């Protein structure tokens, strides 16, 4: 007898020919006739893709590695369709990775890393399904360009950062100047409005004051208005002038009566 662990499958051959598949638990075998030919795990397995070199479309040599996640879904096919399934899947992934990288330029390779992973897994899965193996996902771990390319990329990134810095600085200055100009404009508008309102208030006050004086000094001129004000003459001066005019008028009336 034999005990099969959970998530494992054993393939039994009888007299050199496939006989049956043992599921987890206790299983009995006929001595000298039945043999355990293959043992498979049904768990998801990670296959490490060793570091390798590949050439991009613009002739840049890269060193990269990755990891492939697979699972056996048909133990019988995995036993009899392919010799050493894991090694075969690994070699297939290496070949397809070189092929896909050769279709891309270096600049797009870093930007479209996810699409590269999808393209590799789709092509690997299309082949391995016939071996009873399901490819779940593929991930590129490291992409290592030559030192000259690294330095060039660093210079380019630094230049891009300086460019963004200059753009942000100039935009900040422009916004600050616009805000200052708008503030000055608003201040001038408010100042002009304040002066206009002040002039209106003063004019109305002086007009009311003159109306009161005109009412009090009706015998001098009943139609006194704001035009009575002479140049640089204050309301106080106007009162004094009107009183003098009234006094002169009274004296003139007395002299007429005496005569």
């Amino acid at each position: 007898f034999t005990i099969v662990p959970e998530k494992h499958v054993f393939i039994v051959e009888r007299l050199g020919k496939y006989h049956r598949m043992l599921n987890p638990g206790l299983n009995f075998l006929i001595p000298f006739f039945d043999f355990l030919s293959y043992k498979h795990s049904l768990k998801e397995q990670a296959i490490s893709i060793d570091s390798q070199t590949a050439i991009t479309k613009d002739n840049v040599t890269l060193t990269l590695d990755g990891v492939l996640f697979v699972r056996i879904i048909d133990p019988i096919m995995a036993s009899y369709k392919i010799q050493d399934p894991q090694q075969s899947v690994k070699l297939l992934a290496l070949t397809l990775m070189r092929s896909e990288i050769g279709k891309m330029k270096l600049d797009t390779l870093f930007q479209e890393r996810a699409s590269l992973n999808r393209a590799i897994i789709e092509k690997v899965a299309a082949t391995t399904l016939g071996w009873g193996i399901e490819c779940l996902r593929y991930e590129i771990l490291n992409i290592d360009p030559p030192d000259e390319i690294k330095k060039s990329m660093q210079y380019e990134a630094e230049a891009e950062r300086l460019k963004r810095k200059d753009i942000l600085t100039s935009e900040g200055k422009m916004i600050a100047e616009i805000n200052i100009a708008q503030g000055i404009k608003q201040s001038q508008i408010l100042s002009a409005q304040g002066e206009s309102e002040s002039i209106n208030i003063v004019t109305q006050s002086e007009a009311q004051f003159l109306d009161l004086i005109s009412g009090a000094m009706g015998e001098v001129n009943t139609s006194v208005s704001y035009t009575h004000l002479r140049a640089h003459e204050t309301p106080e001066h106007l009162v004094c002038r009107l009183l003098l005019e009234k006094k002169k008028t009274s004296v003139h009336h007395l002299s007429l009566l005496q005569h």
Side-chain angles (χ1 to χ4, degrees):
F1 69 94
T2 184
I3 297 177
V4 180
E6 184 65 31
K7 286 292 182 179
H8 285 73
V9 170
F10 293 173
I11 300 298
V12 177
E13 291 182 351
R14 176 171 291 178
L15 300 177
K17 183 179 179 181
Y18 170 75
H19 176 58
R20 64 192 178 102
M21 184 171 60
L22 303 182
N23 294 316
L26 180 64
N27 296 269
F28 293 93
L29 301 175
I30 299 176
F32 306 109
F33 289 92
D34 295 340
F35 296 92
L36 296 177
S37 300
Y38 301 98
K39 297 180 180 180
H40 297 293
S41 173
L42 301 181
K43 298 177 182 179
E44 183 176 333
Q45 303 174 52
I47 301 176
S48 178
I49 307 299
D50 299 332
S51 179
Q52 62 169 332
T53 58
I55 301 176
T56 63
K57 187 176 181 179
D58 49 354
N59 296 323
V60 178
T61 302
L62 303 175
T63 302
L64 56 149
D65 56 9
V67 60
L68 179 65
F69 296 90
V70 300
R71 181 177 59 193
I72 294 177
I73 57 177
D74 191 333
I76 298 175
M77 295 180 67
S79 301
Y80 297 104
K81 287 288 185 178
I82 188 71
Q83 182 72 25
D84 195 352
Q86 286 196 1
Q87 183 65 19
S88 300
V89 172
K90 181 177 179 180
L91 293 175
L92 178 62
L94 286 170
T95 304
L96 291 175
M97 181 161 50
R98 286 196 184 99
S99 175
E100 290 298 321
I101 290 176
K103 300 176 183 178
M104 305 176 66
K105 293 183 178 181
L106 180 62
D107 294 337
T108 58
L109 178 61
F110 291 99
Q111 298 173 1
E112 300 180 4
R113 193 166 179 168
S115 61
L116 176 61
N117 291 335
R118 287 194 300 270
I120 294 174
I121 194 62
E122 287 174 0
K123 293 187 176 181
V124 172
T127 302
T128 57
L129 282 177
W131 301 342
I133 299 174
E134 179 185 16
C135 292
L136 302 175
R137 57 191 178 278
Y138 179 84
E139 295 293 339
I140 295 177
L141 296 180
N142 299 302
I143 300 177
D144 190 16
D147 293 338
E148 295 80 6
I149 301 297
K150 286 182 180 179
K151 291 180 181 178
S152 176
M153 294 171 65
Q154 289 175 356
Y155 294 149
E156 184 178 353
E158 182 66 23
E160 185 65 24
R161 284 193 292 269
L162 292 175
K163 178 182 177 182
R164 289 198 299 269
K165 178 183 176 182
D166 293 339
I167 292 174
L168 292 175
T169 301
S170 62
E171 288 179 351
K173 290 181 179 179
M174 180 180 68
I175 293 173
E177 291 176 356
I178 291 174
N179 290 337
I180 292 173
Q182 290 179 346
I184 293 174
K185 177 182 177 182
Q186 189 66 23
S187 176
Q188 292 175 348
I189 291 173
L190 294 175
S191 177
Q193 291 176 349
E195 291 179 359
S196 176
E197 293 177 358
S198 177
I199 291 172
N200 290 334
I201 292 173
V202 170
T203 302
Q204 292 175 2
S205 299
E206 291 179 348
Q208 292 175 359
F209 183 72
L210 291 174
D211 290 340
L212 293 175
I213 295 174
S214 177
M217 310 293 292
E219 57 272 19
V220 177
N221 188 355
T222 58
S223 60
V224 176
S225 64
Y226 179 74
T227 56
H228 286 86
L229 283 174
R230 298 174 181 174
H232 306 294
E233 186 178 33
T234 64
E236 291 81 2
H237 293 162
L238 177 62
V239 172
C240 295
R241 183 164 58 83
L242 292 175
L243 291 174
L244 289 174
E245 290 179 359
K246 180 180 180 182
K247 184 176 181 181
K248 290 178 181 179
T249 303
S250 301
V251 171
H252 180 67
H253 287 170
L254 289 174
S255 12
L256 292 174
L257 292 173
Q258 290 175 357
H259 290 291

